Amino acid sequence: MQDKNIIQVRNLSKNFGHLEVLKDISIDFKEKEVVSIIGPSGGGKSTFLRCLNLLEKPTSGSILFDGTDLCAKGVDINKQRERIGMVFQHFNLFNNMNVMRNLTVAPVKIKKMEKEEAEAKAMDLLKRLGLEDKADYYPSQLSGGQKQRIAIMRSLMMDPDVMLFDEPTSALDPEMIGEVLDVMKQLAKSGMTMIIVTHEMRFAREVSSRVLFLDGGKVDEDATAKEFFTHPKSPRLISFLDKVL
Amino acid sequence: MSFFEQILALLVRYYPYFLDGVKNTLIISALSVVLGLFSGTLMAVMRMGRIKPLKWIAVAYIEFIRGTPLMVQLMFIFYGLPMIGITFPDVSFIPNFSRFMAGVVAMSMNSCAYIAEVIRSGIQAVDVGQMEAARSIGFKSGESMRLVILPQAVKNILPALGNEFVTVIKESSIVSVIGISDLMYGTNGVIAITYRSLPALAIAAIMYFIMTFIGSRLIAILEKRMNHAR
Ligand SMILES: Nc1ncnc2c1ncn2[C@@H]1O[C@H](COP(=O)(O)OP(=O)(O)OP(=O)(O)O)[C@@H](O)[C@H]1O
Ligand SMILES: [Mg+2]
């Protein structure tokens, strides 16, 4: 079970006009893996992540999600996206909905879950976060850390097979980073497959099973977390780690 | 007689001219904004859509209307349409119906372009992250629009739409030149009878102001309600 590939990236390239952002990347992600992606700004980390659920359309190559080629004609991308959760740097909670509706709108409208059932499930998640008193709040009334934890729960409400995180703590005040990372750690422990773009080196080292170094549109290093930080091989990674650690 | 007394005297004697004018001005403005809202929504959809020819038509229309005077557009409709064989029928129970329709059509076509831009910018002012979050959780593009983007866009659009209504009330005074009996037309009528142009114009100005002031207050209240509701 541990060995089943959930996402297979094949010869993925992405250009923005003349700018080649991703260059022929092929890589696999296994079920229950927690993979961190680090790299310098502009290296293509966000673009790579956004290609995995087709928020960006690959220029060439393919993304196989649980065996389905997401770029193939006739594939219902909306159906596939239900199974791929995404957490953004700027939370992107639906501003016109309160917390409860943010959590329940997708399961109710897309999965046709009963409203009561969805609300009970949402309440359960909120209680675990200690945020049950915030159910009626609107996003503008929440702190960054609260927003991001609720955004994670919004994705979890759909019972996704994979969760993608794009710098989930980069827009947070330092004192709120911990509470979000804690939720992510619990999620990792529960066996969720996670792909995380992050600048939190300590978190990457503690929680990930694997770490990728994405630089200049290529995966320059792909190693276990321990190997990655203690015996980096790529010269660019070595100089990158020198700078950030 | 003081100026104030002159105004009062005109009002007492000729108030039906003014009131009738106010009524017609309001009817024309309301019709124009409602028709402009429907056609403007359609125009905004065309402009933001993916079908290139429709997009070009919308852009050309919007730019052209916004780049030419309403007076010219009105004349075009009033004199031009009959020349190419389009006439509005005269209806017995509404006097001057064909003139009236020409005025409404010209005002609506004008409003359409402005409202299309109001709607477009209201939608585009919604953070792109909202659409991305909706799409990435599995909503189709139409659902994302309906559930997430439009409810937020409405908050940007409504105040601007209110401004458009106020603008239309003022701009509609131009239809008096093709003989529609709006407030301006009524005012000119009173001037022609009495030769008292300044007091008559003062009355017109006050009445226009009352209409626009009430209009913008109503919109402000509506806006506040909406902010509370969320
Ligand atoms: N929509 C876009 N249009 C044009 N260029 C883009 C677009 N999105 C990203 N780019 C460019 O692609 C390159 C990679 O961007 P990307 O956001 O993937 O980098 P990143 O590794 O996530 O950086 P950061 O750490 O700053 O978030 C950058 O040069 C960026 O300017
Ligand atoms: Mg990024």
Side-chain angles (χ1 to χ4, degrees), chain A:
Chain A
M1 202 61 207
Q2 190 78 7
D3 290 324
K4 187 184 161 201
N5 283 326
I6 183 83
I7 296 180
Q8 295 163 285
V9 178
R10 291 284 170 270
N11 307 103
L12 169 65
S13 295
K14 174 70 187 177
N15 304 345
F16 288 113
H18 293 296
L19 184 68
E20 289 182 55
V21 178
L22 301 177
K23 298 168 188 163
D24 196 32
I25 295 179
S26 293
I27 196 162
D28 292 343
F29 298 95
K30 292 185 171 53
E31 264 186 344
K32 300 192 187 235
E33 252 191 328
V34 176
V35 181
S36 291
I37 302 175
I38 67 171
S41 182
K45 303 181 297 294
S46 297
T47 307
F48 176 75
L49 202 68
R50 293 159 57 86
C51 280
L52 298 184
N53 71 351
L54 250 56
L55 273 189
E56 298 293 354
K57 205 171 168 336
T59 306
S60 64
S62 55
I63 314 286
L64 298 175
F65 172 64
D66 201 10
T68 308
D69 182 355
L70 298 184
C71 305
K73 275 218 161 72
V75 169
D76 182 356
I77 185 62
N78 301 311
K79 267 261 114 8
Q80 302 301 321
R81 281 179 179 149
E82 292 174 23
R83 302 172 55 195
I84 309 175
M86 182 137 190
V87 174
F88 300 85
Q89 182 174 356
H90 296 286
F91 331 123
N92 298 350
L93 287 178
F94 304 132
N95 291 325
N96 57 317
M97 302 177 191
N98 66 17
V99 168
M100 183 50 82
R101 187 110 200 286
N102 261 283
L103 293 174
T104 55
V105 64
V108 169
K109 299 268 177 193
I110 300 173
K111 290 199 153 174
K112 310 295 174 203
M113 192 190 271
E114 289 297 326
K115 187 160 171 262
E116 291 71 31
E117 189 190 344
E119 287 185 348
K121 184 174 178 179
M123 222 13 154
D124 201 48
L125 289 173
L126 285 176
K127 277 195 186 123
R128 261 190 256 169
L129 296 178
L131 292 175
E132 64 268 34
D133 55 327
K134 300 283 190 280
D136 300 328
Y137 282 43
Y138 279 85
S140 60
Q141 300 167 308
L142 300 170
S143 76
Q146 292 168 339
K147 279 190 232 187
Q148 195 60 302
R149 286 184 290 154
I150 288 163
I152 294 172
M153 295 306 139
R154 175 177 64 179
S155 291
L156 288 182
M157 287 290 293
M158 296 294 281
D159 296 321
D161 297 326
V162 184
M163 289 276 287
L164 311 176
F165 296 82
D166 191 1
E167 301 196 29
T169 58
S170 294
L172 296 176
D173 292 336
E175 71 269 19
M176 292 173 184
I177 293 177
E179 63 192 47
V180 171
L181 292 182
D182 281 345
V183 171
M184 292 172 64
K185 274 182 204 163
Q186 282 171 26
L187 197 56
K189 240 187 244 158
S190 75
M192 176 61 73
T193 312
M194 298 162 75
I195 304 173
I196 308 161
V197 172
T198 185
H199 289 300
E200 298 288 331
M201 295 303 155
R202 249 191 53 192
F203 174 81
R205 191 170 185 161
E206 279 173 28
V207 179
S208 328
S209 43
R210 221 166 113 206
V211 185
L212 309 181
F213 180 59
L214 192 60
D215 182 22
K218 284 182 153 45
V219 177
D220 219 28
E221 184 110 1
D222 175 356
T224 63
K226 188 155 174 253
E227 190 69 14
F228 188 94
F229 288 104
T230 50
H231 300 101
K233 289 182 197 69
S234 140
R236 299 173 73 142
L237 172 57
I238 293 170
S239 80
F240 179 79
L241 288 177
D242 270 347
K243 262 180 261 162
V244 297
L245 288 181

